[in-house]
Amino acid sequence: LLEEKEKKQKSSLDTDLISTNENALFADPRDGRLGNPEGHQVFVEFLDYNCSYCRANVAAILTFLENNPNAALIIKEFPILGAASEQAAKTALAIKALYGNEAYGDFHEALLTIKGQLAPVVIAKLVRDAGYDFKEVQQMSRSTDIAKQIADNRALARQMKISGTPGFVFRDGIHRGAIDAKSIQGRFLAKQTQ
């Protein structure tokens, strides 16, 4: 009974946090967006490219997006695992700024499917292998706009009580930790039946 009460209180707090931060979560044009750009089943992921749980989760998320043409995932770059994570996030955002959201999505997936820890040389190789101008990407990744976006994401994560990765925000709740495609689908099905 006490556990149920605590769960309801936490759920209520999460709902209040989502409501208070709705625009920052779901309407920031600086964020990358996977899936249907006009999709109505929208959720947010706070992630770090060196996070093993984020990497393990990528297949489930891509499966969900492929099987749900009305779904979209907003990526909040949230590098918390060191300098290489920071560089990867800044590089991904630079690619989005220079080459658009589709290029960002491809690079995002490439970063998450690398075996082992990311390092500057690996990130540079991914940029070059994708055919992007490395110097241009590197210069853009050092911009104050990108630094501000990451700082804003960190502040938003703190407000949302998300301290680790991955962290998922749905319009009706927060899921802290890894999630499978069936559970993502369940979040949207539950919302439709309410």
Side-chain angles (χ1 to χ4, degrees), residues 38-54:
E38 304 301 320
H40 298 292
Q41 292 180 327
V42 181
F43 62 115
V44 175
E45 180 182 11
F46 287 82
L47 71 82
D48 183 302
Y49 291 109
N50 265 326
C51 165
S52 61
Y53 297 107
C54 298

Side-chain angles (χ1 to χ4, degrees), residues 45 47-62 81 84-85 88 108-119 122-123 126 165-166 178:
E45 180 182 11
L47 71 82
D48 183 302
Y49 291 109
N50 265 326
C51 165
S52 61
Y53 297 107
C54 298
R55 288 179 181 196
N57 233 47
V58 72
I61 289 169
L62 293 176
L81 297 174
S85 294
H108 167 83
E109 188 175 338
L111 285 168
L112 286 171
T113 55
I114 287 293
K115 302 289 185 221
Q117 291 293 302
L118 288 172
V122 173
I123 297 166
L126 286 174
T165 56

Side-chain angles (χ1 to χ4, degrees), residues 9 12 38 48 66 70-71 77 85-86 90 95 101 114 125 129 131 143 156 159 175 178:
Q9 286 175 334
S12 177
E38 304 301 320
D48 183 302
E66 287 170 13
N70 197 28
E77 301 288 349
S85 294
E86 180 103 10
K90 287 181 174 182
I95 286 172
N101 193 68
I114 287 293
K125 182 178 182 332
D129 287 352
S143 76
L156 181 59
Q159 288 174 335
H175 181 92

Side-chain angles (χ1 to χ4, degrees), residues 2-77:
L2 180 61
E3 193 174 294
E4 231 176 87
K5 184 178 178 183
E6 287 174 0
K7 188 175 178 180
K8 282 183 181 180
Q9 286 175 334
K10 185 175 182 188
S11 177
S12 177
L13 174 62
D14 285 353
T15 303
D16 290 346
L17 290 171
I18 294 164
S19 178
T20 300
N21 295 288
E22 186 172 9
N23 284 338
L25 287 163
F26 298 103
D28 188 336
R30 301 174 301 173
D31 294 323
R33 190 174 178 120
L34 307 180
N36 181 349
E38 304 301 320
H40 298 292
Q41 292 180 327
V42 181
F43 62 115
V44 175
E45 180 182 11
F46 287 82
L47 71 82
D48 183 302
Y49 291 109
N50 265 326
C51 165
S52 61
Y53 297 107
C54 298
R55 288 179 181 196
N57 233 47
V58 72
I61 289 169
L62 293 176
T63 297
F64 173 78
L65 293 173
E66 287 170 13
N67 293 331
N68 294 278
N70 197 28
L73 172 65
I74 296 169
I75 304 295
K76 293 289 186 184
E77 301 288 349

